[in-house]
Amino acid sequence: MKKAYVKSYGCQMNAYDAARMADVLGREGYAATDSVEEADLVLLNTCHIREKAAEKVYSELGRLRVLKGERKEQGLDTRIVVAGCVAQAEGAEILARAPAVDVVVGPQSYHRLPELLARSREKRVVDTEFPVEDKFDHLPARRNKGVSAFLTVQEGCDKFCAFCVVPYTRGAEVSRTVAAVLAEAEKLAASGVREITLIGQNVNAYHGAGPDGGAATLPDLMRAVAAIPGIARIRYTTSHPNDMGEDLIRAHAEIPALMPYLHLPVQSGSDRVLAAMNRKHTADDYRRLIARVRAARPDIALSSDFIVGFPGETDADFEDTLRLVSEIGFESAFSFKYSPRPGTPAAERTDAVPEDVMSARLAALQGLLDRQRYAYQDAAVGQVVDVLVEKTGRRPGQVAGKTPHMLAVQFDAPASAIGGVVPVRIVEAGTNSLFGQALNEAAAA
Ligand code: SAH
Ligand code: SF4
Ligand code: F3S
């Protein structure tokens, strides 16, 4: 049997696409492999959000060229596919820079992979169209193995933050219909999935057609997914503050399966920077929003994204970000140095923040965010939490899972506990994980 090695970079949307492309390749007779050396097909599902990510892809393609040459000497064929957002943004440039690549395919056309692979035998191909047909209608059924699964419900973004490539690489906002999402969710549940994370670049802008033909909201969709037998937990990501409607806030109080966790990127605590970023909200808008969310669900765990060193960011602007973080308190967060992305308005700016200043700001911000995360983990010690068991743990005899607040927990239990929700007393906080004891050994078994 032929083997395919699939590697994904970037966001959850990309991870989802990678899984679906693996399914397409499976239908074409490729078995999945973790070893790139033995792969008859290598697929890199790329991300364009940061400079280094794209450069890493090019250096990886350089290594793959060598591997392809070595395999050829042994009489073995190797197909190389570049997918994802770098594929979308760079298109034919990839063929020019990376001679080993056979196929370049964008995030909206990967259902055509079989045809593209066949055509590339004659001539290397690029397909970065946004086709009229819906790729989801042309994908094989998911072969999901896990307890927790991502499900794409919305794609694209119309927000055009000044720094961001996503509106260009993923195109305009589109929502899948409720029926399409439910059909996929039901299959996932039937295959043993207990937790579904509804994903989209702008998931809370979801407005897919509902059963009555009118637009459904994300809370409507959540209620429908929560009603599927077997589904114990629902999450969603990523949201934009301006699409955080009252109904979604209320959903956090009303839908028991909706977990008390919200990833809500704010990017900066400075109104001047937020305006320059074209975020269309202020720091106080964000504070008020969080206050409303906390009023609906007091124990909600918050997560966010931050960019430091946006062009023109001053020390005072950065202090505003630190102040916002100190006031709100995040369980976890991603923080990045600003990176100019070709084609975005911010890339035209000439008032770049010096690299050393950016590094110092990033270190200060991450130090603060780390302290908040450790405080959050430490506060869990002694508590009893419901853990959805996802997999075996690091050590034999251990399993690993997540709390409702997304903290990772390891504890002793047989593998048969996987898929169950087990009450666990947290006894210790490690760096990236909590350690606990199942409250009821019998329940865990
Ligand atoms: N749709 C989501 C995710 C966008 S990409 C959202 O609106 O939040 C994920 C994160 O990458 C962004 O939130 C932002 O913090 C970061 N990011 C995007 N473009 C960037 C850039 N040019 N430089 C640095 N970080 C960037
Ligand atoms: Fe990018 Fe902004 Fe859209 Fe998020 S909301 S994907 S940061 S343009
Ligand atoms: Fe990256 Fe594209 Fe996601 S640029 S973050 S893979 S939408």
Side-chain angles (χ1 to χ4, degrees), residues 157 159-161 163-164 166-167 201-202 240 267 279:
C157 180
K159 296 280 190 290
F160 291 93
C161 298
F163 50 80
C164 184
V166 171
Q201 269 90 22
N202 228 305
H240 191 286
Q267 314 298 357
R279 288 288 294 181

Side-chain angles (χ1 to χ4, degrees), residues 13 17 22 37 74 109 137 145 154 183 186 196 215-216 230 235 240 258 278 302 329 365 375 377 387 401 416 428 433:
M13 307 283 301
D17 291 341
E37 284 79 16
Q74 300 164 33
S109 43
D137 293 339
K145 296 172 240 65
Q154 178 276 336
E186 277 160 9
I196 291 184
R235 302 181 184 277
H240 191 286
L258 178 57
N278 192 32
L302 297 170
L365 176 61
Q377 290 184 346
V387 176
S416 58
E428 194 192 329
S433 187

Side-chain angles (χ1 to χ4, degrees), residues 11 14 46-49 85 166 170 201:
C11 61
N14 240 27
T46 60
C47 170
H48 204 230
I49 209 88
C85 290
V166 171
R170 296 280 174 161
Q201 269 90 22

Side-chain angles (χ1 to χ4, degrees), residues 384-409:
V384 174
V385 289
D386 281 341
V387 176
L388 173 60
V389 185
E390 292 173 21
K391 55 189 181 190
T392 51
R394 267 174 242 160
R395 288 205 313 270
Q398 267 190 341
V399 293
K402 301 254 166 54
T403 70
H405 299 96
M406 274 294 258
L407 295 170
V409 181

Side-chain angles (χ1 to χ4, degrees), residues 241-242 271 280-290 292:
N242 292 1
D271 288 346
K280 300 197 174 84
H281 61 78
T282 64
D284 276 348
D285 290 337
Y286 190 83
R287 287 184 178 91
R288 279 190 290 270
L289 187 53
I290 295 301
R292 282 166 56 211

Side-chain angles (χ1 to χ4, degrees), residues 49-50 163-166 201-202 238-240 265 267 279 305-307 336-341:
I49 209 88
R50 270 166 284 284
F163 50 80
C164 184
V165 286
V166 171
Q201 269 90 22
N202 228 305
T238 293
S239 299
H240 191 286
Q267 314 298 357
R279 288 288 294 181
D305 291 346
F306 297 90
I307 296 177
F336 314 99
K337 282 184 202 171
Y338 169 73
S339 146
R341 307 284 65 219

